[in-house]
Amino acid sequence: MGKAMKKLAVLTSGGDSPGMNAAIRSVVRTCAYHEVECVGVYRGYEGLIEGDFKAMDARSVRGIINKGGTILKSARSKEFRTEEGRKIAYKQLIDAHIDGLVVVGGDGSFTGALIFNQEFGFPVMGIPGTIDNDIYGTSHTLGFDTALNTVVDAIDKIRDTASSHNRLFFIEVMGRDVGHIALNVGIAGGAEEILIPEEDLGLDRLVESLNKSRKSGKTSSIVIVAEGDKIGKNIFELKDYVDENMEGYDVRVSVLGHMQRGGAPSCFDRVLASRMGVKAVESLLEGETNYMVGLLDNKVELTPLEKAIKGKSKINLELLRVSDIMST
Amino acid sequence: MGKAMKKLAVLTSGGDSPGMNAAIRSVVRTCAYHEVECVGVYRGYEGLIEGDFKAMDARSVRGIINKGGTILKSARSKEFRTEEGRKIAYKQLIDAHIDGLVVVGGDGSFTGALIFNQEFGFPVMGIPGTIDNDIYGTSHTLGFDTALNTVVDAIDKIRDTASSHNRLFFIEVMGRDVGHIALNVGIAGGAEEILIPEEDLGLDRLVESLNKSRKSGKTSSIVIVAEGDKIGKNIFELKDYVDENMEGYDVRVSVLGHMQRGGAPSCFDRVLASRMGVKAVESLLEGETNYMVGLLDNKVELTPLEKAIKGKSKINLELLRVSDIMST
Amino acid sequence: MGKAMKKLAVLTSGGDSPGMNAAIRSVVRTCAYHEVECVGVYRGYEGLIEGDFKAMDARSVRGIINKGGTILKSARSKEFRTEEGRKIAYKQLIDAHIDGLVVVGGDGSFTGALIFNQEFGFPVMGIPGTIDNDIYGTSHTLGFDTALNTVVDAIDKIRDTASSHNRLFFIEVMGRDVGHIALNVGIAGGAEEILIPEEDLGLDRLVESLNKSRKSGKTSSIVIVAEGDKIGKNIFELKDYVDENMEGYDVRVSVLGHMQRGGAPSCFDRVLASRMGVKAVESLLEGETNYMVGLLDNKVELTPLEKAIKGKSKINLELLRVSDIMST
Amino acid sequence: MGKAMKKLAVLTSGGDSPGMNAAIRSVVRTCAYHEVECVGVYRGYEGLIEGDFKAMDARSVRGIINKGGTILKSARSKEFRTEEGRKIAYKQLIDAHIDGLVVVGGDGSFTGALIFNQEFGFPVMGIPGTIDNDIYGTSHTLGFDTALNTVVDAIDKIRDTASSHNRLFFIEVMGRDVGHIALNVGIAGGAEEILIPEEDLGLDRLVESLNKSRKSGKTSSIVIVAEGDKIGKNIFELKDYVDENMEGYDVRVSVLGHMQRGGAPSCFDRVLASRMGVKAVESLLEGETNYMVGLLDNKVELTPLEKAIKGKSKINLELLRVSDIMST
């Protein structure tokens, strides 16, 4: 371990998620607790390059734990993908006497942090903030639990109208590469089928399943479709397919969209964010670098950034089976 | 006034809306209070033709006041549009010894009720149930207030992510013919512009307004678009237009869709439904027919069905001006 | 009309209510729209005396329309009740070149404003902000609609547990002098009885009503009690009375308390606040003074402050009857 | 393993919690999936003794996954605590040809189940349903996550009014023996102090902490108090103590009460209930008995009922430390 750290910085990067503000607050307050200065960096790596910094003390993060989004804003930075850009960013950090950086974001953001460390030896620590839960090394990413509740609330509302009209609804939820959201909300929302990127159910089986469900006496049905499902059709094509190939269905489509990213974080996400912020700051202060803070078996643990980036977050196969049994 | 009524029926018709169950409950309990029998008709006019009836007492509507949708289900009936269909429906009512009918629905449903009365002299009474608030003779339709809160909650969530990323969002809300929802949620959601069917803002003015808003220092913006807006482009074409004609915007689209129709009714809608149910039943019992129950100046009053159908619900121009001032 | 106004001030006073921030925002933006300066006064009349002012432009009220409470904070001021205190307040306003004052609060705050005007001729305008809806000259005060939804949501939750255990719940809601909240949430929450300050139901009738309800087959019951009910016992004494005088009841008490004052304002309250802010500022600019802005027949109208203070907001007797019928 | 099971029963017992209905649904549907009959027992052990049974098929649990409370109702049974009572219950089960019993409840309910098994050898399986999270052998009990969100939402609302008035709030949350709820909502709600049964902070330290918090510039504060805290005073005495011993505080008390038990279950609780129901039924079918189904390291595992009853659920000391750092 080198010299004692006196000033840390924190930024949010990539898609925003509920809990990012709670994480910022935790980083800032943990710094204050350890009498270390803290600096907020605006607009992710872009603000790092521009030196868009702001000193933050314990009071400056008052009243944000329950706010969605990120007060530090987020952005994607092309420039930080260049060595030139990263060199400028490094200079900004050095000029501001900053000794370590906490990055709240997804795997793209972590890749940037890791390269940055490898080039300049600058201490970095990651906190996984994304609603998709698609990061290896943590059972839950920040915002995942909140997004699940937001989506389930929307499904509950759609079910009201679905069952009043005996309709079939295809509901698209976020998840380009992983089906965590779809799988959980499918079970919680009482969906008849769940289409996820990890599994190609096949159109025939979908049709078969819907027919079986109808024969069993169900008059309305909900199918949850992850953005990145593998069935080979987008959600509107799915509707057309059913319209053409199945009789007697009144099919509707709902794409839940960006509201899934917002809202006041759940209790779970606020507590998780608070815990992760403490761990991230204290790990940096203890001389650690290149780790991601994650939740493993309800404990906050470190995973090397390299593993977090390369590893793959896998869906729980038990949930697939539970979903299957529940739609009996 | 003819012979005393001994049995009434209630049905829900057209698109469902939050508060319909509260209205059913009120109709049933008001019947019980006056010691009149009550019958629920399933699936609107379709169930009327099929004689899909169920006797309902005060206890049978327990626990539904806070449920979205309609326990009697709703449907559109082609057959009821034919004289033949209506003749069968009439026979079903007579065979079941029903003396009057309460119809909860929109103007299409009221038109059916009026024709039905004109042909068979059967007493009918309407309760306006639709989220669109597009019915003459009532300041509020059942479900409108709930839908406003649902939409505003979604806009709040989208704003979290919009302002974290400095984005421009086009959000589509329900309202094919009238802009009531768009206008109210636009003000409540802090939208920069509101596109409604009643007014053609014009693309040029939209662009101008967005540019002005940006110059004033706003980094993210929300534009509310009613389904039936007159700007001549659907919401995805709007996005393309801005992408092509304006620089520096990161434009996103969100279509809120069917979740707007569901959810536990607001306190306002529950109270309104309870009041309307009482008035509808008591008016029938007093020998009235062919009226719609509505809220006028916070009082529950009757408006002739004919007027309710032909009249046009107008948006409050004051709100347009307020919206304009608020986006200063 | 005197000289043109160039600078207005706004303050919030008395108990806070959801929608106060939306009203502040509206006052500030309407000033900006008319190119009039605007100043926020912190902590009500206390801050007025201390000159705790802050210039506010259109951007400074960004992101507050959906926040409960008041960013200007509120307080009760003993000093402002003295002539001496008001003299200092007047001097502060003159020194800051302020030409008119918008007061958001209840009738206590309006009384202060009226006396202030009578003493110094300083133009004042009131906006009714209180959850109790106890002000003459407006069908709705700011925060009333939001509080209703908050309370109904809590009642829905309590009903879950009440009906799982066949319990009788007494639920106390706000309303020291008026029963508006109790009456509306009682109907919307499906309460068996509602105890309000305007009416002394009498213990005997309460017992009779509960017994009747039980005989009709209800196994759980909810009684809504306004803080200021006239039955002569507080809510815990009520429980004791039933415990001692009625057999077989498992009685519980829940006092909802201060959560009723908070939360994101409903769509209705946000729109109402926006409309009232516009009207208040424009009325001052047109030379009006000593009025309260209110909602009458869905229009924003002026009522003399004197009337607003002396008049009494009356409960809607129709609602009492509806409640009675609904608990059939 | 004995003869194949053909019919199972399920009951809910003790205090209700959100997710109980989702667990009932899962038990019923898993039975249907395995073509085993399922019977619902009303009012817990009381209904077991009375033979208050109802056959349940997959359709009969439609639409309950999102409902708080328990459709099977719950009750405490004195009779089941007697051998005589349990003998009758056993006879009822045998007469109805029931082969195994799933008990959803807390440790009191599990004790009853275990004794019942020891006396009659009747196969039993427990599912932990209580908001308190006070059961050994599972990281989460059903309803805990939902209750956390309910409480945090209430705290957010109270904070609105607390910070508008610079007040100190004592908020009492459930937790007679354990501080899980208090600890989590304290962190998530940004409380200055958290008083839990496991730790006696001491009045002096509380006063010191509040004074420190005030000196650091905080003008409003929230202290979370678990029902069973050890500080030796109830929450109203706490208020009096601060009123008498500290200057300049405007102290208020809020007891959240029974609303904490109700409400639509969170996504987490719905998924957990679904998983637990599958595991409980399948374990019985595989010949297991006297176990509780629990969540351990995100997997659904069995713990002997005896251990679940005797073991003690411990609070996470890390959370105490996080809370301390966050209130910096």
Side-chain angles (χ1 to χ4, degrees), chain C residues 83-295:
Chain C
E83 212 191 309
E84 189 54 33
R86 290 191 295 271
K87 216 177 254 178
I88 302 172
Y90 177 66
K91 198 174 172 307
Q92 294 283 11
L93 286 166
I94 296 304
D95 287 356
H97 306 290
I98 293 167
D99 302 311
L101 175 67
V102 179
V103 172
V104 189
D107 52 10
S109 313
F110 293 164
T111 304
L114 187 58
I115 294 174
F116 188 66
N117 174 273
Q118 288 163 345
E119 288 175 347
F120 305 101
F122 197 86
V124 295
M125 196 62 57
I127 291 178
T130 160
I131 63 166
D132 291 333
N133 206 34
D134 57 351
I135 296 183
Y136 179 87
T138 190
S139 61
H140 293 77
T141 53
L142 283 186
F144 176 54
D145 183 68
T146 303
L148 292 183
N149 285 325
T150 299
V151 175
V152 165
D153 186 55
I155 297 175
D156 284 354
K157 286 185 167 67
I158 292 172
R159 187 172 287 289
D160 284 341
T161 189
S163 51
S164 297
H165 288 278
N166 298 341
R167 278 176 179 156
L168 167 60
F169 264 93
F170 288 108
I171 303 178
E172 185 182 293
V173 301
M174 286 193 169
R176 237 177 266 275
D177 305 309
V178 290
H180 290 298
I181 292 180
L183 199 47
N184 280 276
V185 302
I187 293 174
E192 273 64 45
E193 275 299 344
I194 305 172
L195 308 183
I196 56 175
E198 288 87 346
E199 200 202 38
D200 183 358
L201 186 71
L203 276 168
D204 292 346
R205 254 226 48 201
L206 176 63
V207 169
E208 187 191 322
S209 162
L210 291 174
N211 281 334
K212 192 186 127 202
S213 151
R214 169 159 288 199
K215 269 176 208 153
S216 82
K218 290 191 189 173
T219 53
S220 66
S221 296
I222 284 178
V223 175
I224 300 297
V225 185
E227 280 176 310
D229 82 288
K230 286 277 166 48
I231 209 162
K233 298 188 177 291
N234 79 29
I235 198 166
F236 294 99
E237 292 169 341
L238 263 182
K239 170 180 157 44
D240 292 343
Y241 182 87
V242 173
D243 278 344
E244 284 163 27
N245 293 278
M246 301 178 71
E247 251 173 68
Y249 277 92
D250 183 7
V251 191
R252 303 293 162 112
V253 163
S254 190
V255 177
L256 293 187
H258 282 81
M259 59 170 284
Q260 295 170 77
R261 291 202 180 285
S266 66
C267 183
F268 181 92
D269 276 326
R270 298 188 200 185
V271 173
L272 182 59
S274 302
R275 294 169 74 184
M276 285 179 164
V278 169
K279 183 74 171 182
V281 168
E282 298 193 335
S283 298
L284 277 173
L285 296 183
E286 285 161 9
E288 305 289 358
T289 183
N290 293 4
Y291 285 102
M292 183 193 78
V293 171
L295 191 70

Side-chain angles (χ1 to χ4, degrees), chain C residues 14-16 68-70 73-74 150 154 157-158 160-161 163-167 169 219 252 255-256 258-259 261-263, chain D residues 14-16 68-70 73-74 150 154 157-158 160-161 163-167 169 219 252 255 258-259 261-263:
Chain C
D16 64 306
T70 157
K73 295 177 185 284
S74 186
T150 299
K157 286 185 167 67
I158 292 172
D160 284 341
T161 189
S163 51
S164 297
H165 288 278
N166 298 341
R167 278 176 179 156
F169 264 93
T219 53
R252 303 293 162 112
V255 177
L256 293 187
H258 282 81
M259 59 170 284
R261 291 202 180 285
Chain D
D16 64 305
T70 157
K73 295 180 187 282
S74 186
T150 299
K157 286 186 168 67
I158 293 172
D160 284 343
T161 188
S163 51
S164 297
H165 288 278
N166 298 340
R167 278 177 180 156
F169 264 92
T219 53
R252 304 292 161 112
V255 177
H258 283 81
M259 58 170 286
R261 292 203 181 284

Side-chain angles (χ1 to χ4, degrees), chain A residues 16 70 73-74 160-161 163-164 263, chain B residues 16 73-74 160-161 163-164 263:
Chain A
D16 63 306
T70 156
K73 295 178 185 283
S74 186
D160 284 342
T161 190
S163 51
S164 297
Chain B
D16 64 305
K73 295 180 186 282
S74 185
D160 284 342
T161 189
S163 51
S164 297

Side-chain angles (χ1 to χ4, degrees), chain A residues 14-16 43 67-76 150 153-154 156-158 160-167 169 219-220 252-264, chain B residues 14-16 43 67-76 150 153-154 156-158 160-167 169 219-220 252-264:
Chain A
D16 63 306
R43 290 168 301 117
K67 303 289 179 285
T70 156
I71 59 165
L72 291 178
K73 295 178 185 283
S74 186
R76 298 183 193 283
T150 299
D153 185 55
D156 283 354
K157 287 187 167 67
I158 292 172
D160 284 342
T161 190
S163 51
S164 297
H165 287 279
N166 299 342
R167 278 176 179 156
F169 264 92
T219 53
S220 66
R252 302 294 161 113
V253 163
S254 190
V255 177
L256 293 186
H258 282 81
M259 59 170 285
Q260 295 170 79
R261 292 202 180 283
Chain B
D16 64 305
R43 291 169 301 117
K67 303 289 180 282
T70 157
I71 60 164
L72 291 178
K73 295 180 186 282
S74 185
R76 299 184 192 284
T150 299
D153 186 55
D156 283 355
K157 287 186 168 65
I158 293 172
D160 284 342
T161 189
S163 51
S164 297
H165 287 279
N166 298 341
R167 278 175 180 158
F169 264 93
T219 53
S220 65
R252 302 292 161 114
V253 163
S254 190
V255 177
L256 293 186
H258 282 81
M259 59 169 284
Q260 295 170 77
R261 292 202 179 282

Side-chain angles (χ1 to χ4, degrees), chain B residues 193-202 205 229-231 315 320:
Chain B
E193 274 298 345
I194 305 172
L195 308 183
I196 55 176
E198 288 87 347
E199 199 202 39
D200 183 357
L201 186 71
R205 252 225 51 199
D229 83 285
K230 287 276 165 51
I231 209 161
I315 54 161
L320 265 182

Side-chain angles (χ1 to χ4, degrees), chain A residues 91-136:
Chain A
K91 198 172 173 308
Q92 294 282 13
L93 286 166
I94 295 304
D95 288 356
H97 305 289
I98 294 166
D99 302 312
L101 175 67
V102 179
V103 172
V104 189
D107 52 9
S109 312
F110 293 164
T111 304
L114 187 58
I115 293 174
F116 188 66
N117 174 275
Q118 287 163 344
E119 288 176 348
F120 305 101
F122 196 87
V124 295
M125 196 61 59
I127 291 178
T130 160
I131 63 166
D132 291 333
N133 205 33
D134 57 351
I135 295 183
Y136 179 87

